[in-house]
Amino acid sequence: RKEVEQDPGPFNVPEGATVAFNCTYSNSASQSFFWYRQDCRKEPKLLMSVYSSGNEDGRFTAQLNRASQYISLLIRDSKLSDSATYLCVVNTDKLIFGTGTRLQVFP
Amino acid sequence: GAGVSQSPSNKVTEKGKDVELRCDPISGHTALYWYRQSLGQGLEFLIYFQGNSAPDKSGLPSDRFSAERTGGSVSTLTIQRTQQEDSAVYLCASNPDRGWYNEQFFGPGTRLTVL
C-alpha cells in the first residue's frame, strides 16, 4: 500500500462547480499535512496547510480526519485557473507526496 | 525576491555518462531538499541538507547518486553512470529553517533525459 494515495483523476468540471478531492495516508504517526498545487510542467507550490480543526482560504477548504487517516480538499465556484494537479503531502519524518489529482475546469 | 533557481533546465545525456545538476536556494534559507519526479509518480525524496548538519541521504536510490552543498548555499546533485531509469525531473526546494513542517519553495526543476 502506498503511503499517500490519491485518485489520479482527471476530474473534469464546469466553471462554477464544487469539486472535492480525498487523500488517504497509511502512517498514523503523520504529523502535518499540506495541499500543494502543480501546474503542467511547473514546480509544486503550497496551496494550504491542513489543520486538525479544518481550515478555509477563500474558495478552498481543507479538512483532516485523523481517525480515518484521510485529508480532503474542497474547491467551490471552480475557475478555469484552478485547472492543475493537486498534490496531497504528508509529513511523516519527511514529506511524502501523493501522485496528485488532476483537475480540469472547462467553460 | 529571487526564488530557487536550478540549472540546467534541460539535460540530455547518454547512458553511462555522469551529470551534475545545480540548485541555488533562496538567500538565507538554511534547509535544502532534492526530489525527483518521474512521469506519473509522486515526488520522491532524495536528500536533505540543514545548515552544517550531516545531510539526510536516506532517499538516494543508489551509490551512483551523491550531493553536496558548499558554503551552506549552492548544492550540486551528481549522478554517475546514468541509466535510462534516471530520466526524471529533478526538483530542488528550500525553506528558512529546519522545517518538514513548513512550506517548501521549489525551483523550476531540471528535466533529465538519459538516452
Side-chain angles (χ1 to χ4, degrees):
Chain A
R1 182 185 172 188
K2 288 184 179 178
E3 291 185 80
V4 177
E5 293 203 62
Q6 295 183 251
D7 181 342
F11 285 61
N12 296 305
V13 303
E15 274 187 290
T18 295
V19 62
F21 310 135
N22 284 336
C23 163
T24 58
Y25 61 95
S26 60
N27 192 331
S28 60
S30 298
Q31 300 160 16
S32 54
F33 309 88
F34 310 90
W35 284 100
Y36 276 71
R37 171 192 168 129
Q38 186 171 26
D39 292 293
C40 188
R41 290 185 167 258
K42 298 286 189 181
E43 69 272 23
K45 292 184 180 177
L46 179 68
L47 177 66
M48 57 197 305
S49 301
V50 186
Y51 303 121
S52 297
S53 55
N55 49 302
E56 188 174 310
D57 183 1
R59 298 181 293 108
F60 298 84
T61 301
Q63 293 197 312
L64 167 64
N65 185 317
R66 284 190 183 271
S68 301
Q69 295 181 206
Y70 78 80
I71 307 149
S72 64
L73 177 67
L74 181 79
I75 305 175
R76 289 182 299 277
D77 188 23
S78 298
K79 311 291 184 191
L80 295 175
S81 57
D82 294 335
S83 298
T85 297
Y86 291 83
L87 306 176
C88 172
V89 185
V90 173
N91 174 13
T92 305
D93 182 37
K94 48 181 62 71
L95 292 189
I96 309 297
F97 286 77
T99 53
T101 297
R102 190 164 152 236
L103 172 65
Q104 184 67 50
V105 181
F106 58 88
Chain B
V4 177
S5 62
Q6 293 186 244
S7 60
S9 54
N10 282 284
K11 177 71 177 179
V12 180
T13 191
E14 294 179 346
K15 178 181 172 181
K17 301 280 190 185
D18 297 352
V19 295
E20 283 190 354
L21 312 179
R22 176 186 167 109
C23 171
D24 277 278
I26 293 172
S27 177
H29 282 194
T30 58
L32 186 148
Y33 313 79
W34 281 99
Y35 296 88
R36 72 176 174 182
Q37 187 173 30
S38 304
L39 193 63
Q41 302 295 314
L43 272 74
E44 176 189 2
F45 164 74
L46 297 177
I47 188 168
Y48 161 47
F49 295 90
Q50 171 56 44
N52 296 320
S53 303
D56 177 350
K57 304 180 182 180
S58 60
L60 294 178
S62 78
D63 58 8
R64 296 186 297 104
F65 288 73
S66 63
E68 61 178 24
R69 189 177 184 192
T70 53
S73 181
V74 171
S75 177
T76 303
L77 177 69
T78 301
I79 309 173
Q80 296 178 308
R81 305 181 302 282
T82 51
Q83 304 294 312
Q84 288 182 331
E85 61 263 28
D86 299 336
S87 296
V89 176
Y90 289 81
L91 290 158
C92 173
S94 69
N95 63 11
D97 52 23
R98 185 185 184 89
W100 293 110
Y101 298 90
N102 298 323
E103 178 180 4
Q104 296 195 0
F105 297 85
F106 284 85
T110 294
R111 185 173 297 275
L112 175 66
T113 303
V114 182
L115 301 177

